[in-house]
Amino acid sequence: MRARFPLLGLASAAGLLALTGCVPNAGTSGASHASLTVDSSATACAVSAAEAPAGSVRFTVTNSGDQVTEFYLLAEDGLRIVGEAENIGPGLSRNLVVQLAAGHYFTACKPGMTGDGIGKADFTVTESDAAPNL
Amino acid sequence: MLANYLIGLREGLEAALIVTILVAYVVKIDRRDVLRRIWLGVGLAVVLALVIGAALTFGTYGLSFAARETIGGVLSIAATGLVTWMVFWMLRTARDLSGHLRGSIDRSLLGAGVGLVVVAFVAVGREGIETALFIWAAVQATGETTMPLIGAALGILSAVGLGWLVYSGMLRINLAKFFTWTGGILIVVAAGVLSYGVHDLQEAGVLPGLNSLAFNVSAAIPPDSWFGTLLKGTLNFSPVTTWLELVVWTGYTAICLSLFIRASRNGGRVRSAPRPVEPATEPVAEPVR
């Protein structure tokens, strides 16, 4: 019987996450989030806009290089990870969805998955009505 | 294609290794009848991961970063616990086996009924959702190129193939050697999973110390090289390791390996007190431990 409890725990954890961890996908009607694209190549990390309104922000990261890449959204100190998209193989697009409060952030890509990353750029989140209390 | 192949290989290796050891063990003690439970766990995890991955990719809702990291961290810690349980469960049934206590083995296997399903389920499911999201991303790209999908699929197939090779090798070695080796391997694998979970929680900001590194050998062992992939896929070795990860890894390995060595010297007597003798009854449907 004891073995049932981890199962129960996992099931309820999954249930909780289903309630709290889900965010609307792109193209959903009435979705109030900003959608940005990122092109991660061998030499650049081009984000389609350098700012977005506070709330749910989606980065669709496309890897146009030939190494596996990662995309990072870093906090104002440039160290703390606010969001990260991993395992973006060449030719793939992966999504990173984060709830952002107004403030200063950095975006960066990490082709080859090592080093400090390339194309580190400022990213600003502006106040908005849809801003969550973070 | 090679890069996507290596991702598929890396994601599949650890699960293949754990399931291989589990299957080899059950076959070695001549209890093929419980294999069904292992495959049930594996099958459930694969189907569930693919369905959840597809729903999150093509459905109305995706998964936020925080939720993804939390799932990763929690499942890693659960997997560590379950693999540790599996090592000592194998030791216990081995003792029963050497003592020819047939009924006792049956009881252990009966008690482990749900346990075996859960171990197989979590071993595959831990990286399952991430792998499924990766696979569906490759499927989404097929409008432009099918190379990522072919690469990823071949990578996962290679992991299964390597598991099969290890399995055939394991069947040839004797039971005593099998226990020593698989026990040791599983403890090191579990330690890697635990430190991976710690890293996830450090990235999520739940645990501190993401940027205080114990070592960084990514110049010598690039994570996208084939040997970096194998090390990451089997032992969860990260070329960039934080102090907290290193301390947790070392602590877990030291404690569990010494317990394991002591227990195997005692002939697998993990529990000091003998379990009460149960009346010989027909196996019941409800597993009792």
Side-chain angles (χ1 to χ4, degrees), chain B residues 41-59 121 124-139 149 152-153 156:
Chain B
V42 171
L44 274 178
V46 170
V47 171
L48 205 64
L50 282 176
V51 168
I52 292 176
L56 292 172
T57 306
F58 304 106
F121 179 81
V124 176
R126 189 179 81 81
E127 288 282 56
I129 294 182
E130 169 56 22
T131 310
L133 287 172
F134 166 68
I135 294 274
W136 291 121
V139 169
L149 184 60
I156 292 173

Side-chain angles (χ1 to χ4, degrees), chain A residues 1 21 24 34 57 93 118 131:
Chain A
M1 285 304 281
V57 180
S93 295
I118 60 166

Side-chain angles (χ1 to χ4, degrees), chain B residues 2-281:
Chain B
L2 180 66
N4 288 304
Y5 170 83
L6 288 175
I7 296 181
L9 178 65
R10 192 190 64 213
E11 300 289 332
L13 265 181
E14 175 198 299
L17 192 64
I18 296 177
V19 171
T20 293
I21 291 177
L22 211 53
V23 169
Y25 172 73
V26 165
V27 169
K28 273 184 113 65
I29 62 168
D30 208 16
R31 286 302 304 262
R32 285 171 186 267
D33 55 308
V34 294
L35 276 179
R36 233 177 315 159
R37 295 178 193 161
I38 298 171
W39 295 125
L40 176 70
V42 171
L44 274 178
V46 170
V47 171
L48 205 64
L50 282 176
V51 168
I52 292 176
L56 292 172
T57 306
F58 304 106
T60 320
Y61 290 95
L63 205 58
S64 76
F65 171 72
R68 218 177 53 209
E69 292 296 301
T70 314
I71 292 176
V74 169
L75 277 183
S76 295
I77 289 162
T80 307
L82 282 162
V83 172
T84 313
W85 168 82
M86 172 177 154
V87 170
F88 287 98
W89 169 77
M90 278 167 50
L91 257 186
R92 207 162 61 227
T93 44
R95 176 203 56 189
D96 296 344
L97 194 74
S98 60
H100 300 289
L101 301 168
R102 205 70 215 180
S104 181
I105 292 182
D106 289 344
R107 265 205 307 280
S108 289
L109 280 174
L110 202 64
V114 181
L116 282 179
V117 178
V118 176
V119 171
F121 179 81
V122 172
V124 176
R126 189 179 81 81
E127 288 282 56
I129 294 182
E130 169 56 22
T131 310
L133 287 172
F134 166 68
I135 294 274
W136 291 121
V139 169
Q140 272 187 323
T142 49
E144 293 156 38
T145 164
T146 49
M147 292 309 260
L149 184 60
I150 295 171
L154 284 179
I156 292 173
L157 282 177
S158 300
V160 175
L162 280 174
W164 175 258
L165 279 180
V166 171
Y167 171 76
S168 350
M170 276 177 181
L171 287 189
R172 275 189 229 118
I173 60 176
N174 74 45
L175 203 58
K177 257 197 197 134
F178 175 84
F179 279 122
T180 320
W181 280 101
T182 53
I185 291 170
L186 284 175
I187 286 172
V188 177
V189 168
V193 174
L194 185 61
S195 85
Y196 178 95
V198 167
H199 185 78
D200 258 5
L201 294 176
Q202 283 184 311
E203 283 189 332
V206 178
L207 290 173
L210 180 64
N211 294 299
S212 39
L213 299 181
F215 58 82
N216 182 350
V217 292
S218 49
I221 308 174
D224 56 352
S225 62
W226 66 268
F227 50 97
T229 299
L230 287 180
L231 282 173
K232 178 86 191 170
T234 51
L235 304 178
N236 261 303
F237 173 79
S238 162
V240 181
T241 291
T242 65
W243 277 111
L244 189 62
E245 284 175 74
L246 185 66
V247 166
V248 167
W249 189 92
T250 314
Y252 174 88
T253 312
I255 293 169
C256 280
L257 265 188
S258 47
L259 278 177
F260 176 73
I261 291 167
R262 223 183 62 193
S264 27
R265 285 212 182 120
N266 287 346
R269 215 159 270 115
V270 186
R271 292 179 176 175
S272 46
R275 273 170 293 165
V277 180
E278 290 164 35
T281 50

Side-chain angles (χ1 to χ4, degrees), chain A residues 22-94:
Chain A
C22 283
V23 285
N25 269 341
T28 313
S29 58
S32 62
H33 60 77
S35 281
L36 303 174
T37 59
V38 182
D39 177 31
S40 173
S41 66
T43 50
C45 185
V47 184
S48 63
E51 62 170 54
S56 180
V57 180
R58 165 186 307 272
F59 296 89
T60 301
V61 188
T62 304
N63 184 358
S64 60
D66 52 8
Q67 284 182 301
V68 179
T69 193
E70 295 171 342
F71 172 73
Y72 286 90
L73 183 69
L74 302 167
E76 197 168 11
D77 61 3
L79 293 172
R80 192 172 66 80
I81 296 171
V82 178
E84 171 198 27
E86 287 176 307
N87 278 342
I88 313 168
L92 296 191
S93 295
R94 304 272 318 249

